[in-house]
């Protein structure tokens, strides 16, 4: 007797996207939503192993009702730029500024999720004259502050180093294949798996190593632009306590709490999108007030 096949989840309706050449750096992929005239600009920075679309597809259109929205795939992720150089979060921050340059954007608000949080804060640290505010989601000042985490990142260091060598490129390919099989078993939609299969997995593994080395503790308290944080409860990747420690270290910030763990950004409840809109408003409204006075 034939059984009814599972209904495939349709791909989401995504905003226009295109390759964008960054002089001296390479070609990345960006999505852009124009938003209202003269609206503040948000630069969406996705998390590790994700893409702009996987991270932000539920947020794009809601944000665009109030803001001009730019989203890019980070180097090695999705359709992000390809390079054989060592993966550095600092380069990702510079990539974001290069995207702004290519689009004629002078100032913007970096909005970072997980790995995108360090990248957003590094945009402020390296290019403070370009930043109107920060929104930091499901992220931390550092990611290797316990013995267990240091051991995990040590293993990742070795794997990413091997995957970067030509004879061991298959390590990266096997990582991608294993991850796609996991997504298939979990029942993820075909478009999600397609996004993951676009990764340069050697670079993605190297990105994990870079996250393990990141520590903004010495300087995160110097952030001098309006800042908002979204803290995710029951987060199995970035513990809620680590996220709260970051908000405590910031000189001044608003805090928005959502449930749903580390994948809150893709939850169907809409709670994350509501929190993101509130977080962006708390950052942009002071900026608008200052510009008007």
């Amino acid at each position: 007797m034939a059984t009814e096949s599972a209904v495939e989840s349709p791909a989401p309706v995504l905003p226009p996207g295109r390759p964008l050449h960054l002089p001296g750096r390479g070609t990345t992929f960006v999505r852009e939503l124009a938003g209202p005239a003269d609206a503040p600009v948000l630069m969406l920075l996705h998390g590790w192993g994700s893409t702009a679309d996987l991270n932000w597809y539920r947020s794009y259109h809601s944000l665009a009702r109030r803001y001009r929205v730019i989203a890019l795939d980070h180097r090695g992720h999705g359709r992000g730029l390809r390079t054989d150089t060592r993966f550095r979060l600092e380069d990702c921050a510079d990539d974001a500024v290069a995207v702004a340059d290519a689009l004629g954007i002078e100032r913007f608000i970096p909005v970072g999720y997980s790995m995108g949080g360090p990248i957003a804060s590094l945009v402020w640290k390296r290019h403070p004259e370009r930043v109107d505010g920060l929104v930091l989601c499901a992220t931390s000042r550092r990611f290797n502050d316990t013995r267990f985490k240091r051991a995990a990142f040590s293993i990742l260091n070795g794997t990413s180093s091997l995957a970067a060598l030509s004879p061991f490129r298959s390590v990266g390919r096997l990582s991608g294949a294993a991850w796609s099989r996991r997504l298939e078993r979990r029942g993820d939609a075909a478009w999600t798996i397609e996004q993951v299969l676009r990764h340069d997995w050697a670079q993605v593994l190297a990105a994990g190593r870079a996250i393990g080395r990141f520590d903004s503790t010495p300087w995160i308290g110097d952030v001098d632009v309006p800042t908002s944080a979204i803290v995710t409860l029951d987060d199995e990747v970035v513990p809620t306590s680590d996220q709260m420690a970051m908000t405590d270290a910031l000189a001044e910030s608003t805090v928005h709490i959502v449930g749903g763990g580390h994948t809150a950004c893709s939850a169907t409840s809409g709670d994350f999108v509501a929190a993101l809109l509130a977080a962006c408003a708390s950052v942009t409204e002071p900026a608008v007030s200052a510009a008007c006075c």
Side-chain angles (χ1 to χ4, degrees):
M1 180 178 178
T3 58
E4 186 177 358
S5 60
V7 177
E8 175 67 32
S9 299
V13 177
L14 298 170
R18 61 186 172 95
L20 182 67
H21 179 66
L22 308 179
R25 309 185 77 79
T27 299
T28 190
F29 181 82
V30 300
R31 294 201 185 276
E32 181 173 9
L33 297 91
D38 300 321
V41 180
L42 305 181
M43 181 82 70
L44 305 185
L45 307 171
H46 66 75
W48 180 41
S50 187
T51 65
D53 290 343
L54 288 175
N55 211 136
W56 304 109
Y57 75 98
R58 292 195 183 276
S59 304
Y60 283 142
H61 297 290
S62 295
L63 290 173
R65 296 189 187 104
R66 304 181 187 179
Y67 307 104
R68 181 180 178 185
V69 178
I70 312 296
L72 72 150
D73 285 352
H74 297 308
R75 49 182 56 209
H77 291 69
R79 287 173 278 189
L81 65 85
R82 295 305 194 247
T83 177
D84 291 328
T85 60
R86 180 169 66 94
F87 188 100
R88 299 172 65 246
L89 294 172
E90 292 84 354
D91 289 333
C92 293
D94 295 347
D95 292 341
V97 173
V99 167
D101 289 341
L103 297 176
I105 296 168
E106 182 61 30
R107 298 178 66 87
F108 60 95
I109 297 164
V111 181
Y113 197 99
S114 194
M115 179 183 78
I119 295 170
S121 58
L122 284 167
V123 173
W124 170 83
K125 186 173 187 288
R126 296 167 68 83
H127 308 276
E129 74 286 354
R130 308 296 295 273
V131 175
D132 278 333
L134 291 173
V135 179
L136 306 174
C137 314
T139 194
S140 179
R141 299 170 297 169
R142 58 190 181 196
F143 299 84
N144 64 348
D145 56 342
T146 67
R147 181 179 299 177
F148 174 78
K149 292 178 187 176
R150 285 192 291 271
F153 279 113
S154 176
I155 294 170
L156 187 60
N157 285 348
T159 305
S160 62
S161 296
L162 279 176
L165 300 174
S166 295
F168 297 99
R169 286 284 182 182
S170 59
V171 173
R173 289 194 293 272
L174 287 172
S175 298
W179 189 248
S180 66
R181 286 195 298 271
R182 180 183 178 216
L183 294 177
E184 288 173 355
R185 288 195 300 270
R186 203 172 69 177
D188 282 55
W191 81 272
T192 301
I193 298 170
E194 181 184 9
Q195 294 269 322
V196 169
L197 288 176
R198 290 187 175 126
H199 291 341
D200 174 349
W201 276 92
Q203 282 282 292
V204 172
L205 291 171
R209 179 173 59 181
I211 295 168
R213 292 194 302 263
F214 178 78
D215 186 354
S216 65
T217 304
W219 51 266
I220 194 69
D222 297 331
V223 170
D224 58 358
V225 294
T227 303
S228 190
I230 296 179
V231 173
T232 47
L233 300 177
D234 301 318
D235 195 314
E236 68 285 2
V237 177
V238 183
T240 301
S241 59
D242 290 356
Q243 299 180 49
M244 292 302 299
M246 180 195 69
T247 66
D248 291 342
L250 289 162
E252 187 174 346
S253 66
T254 62
V255 178
H256 307 263
I257 308 292
V258 295
H262 204 64
T263 58
C265 59
S266 59
T268 58
S269 67
D271 291 346
F272 175 78
V273 176
L276 182 59
L277 288 168
C280 291
S282 70
V283 168
T284 58
E285 287 171 2
V288 170
S289 297
C292 293
C293 300

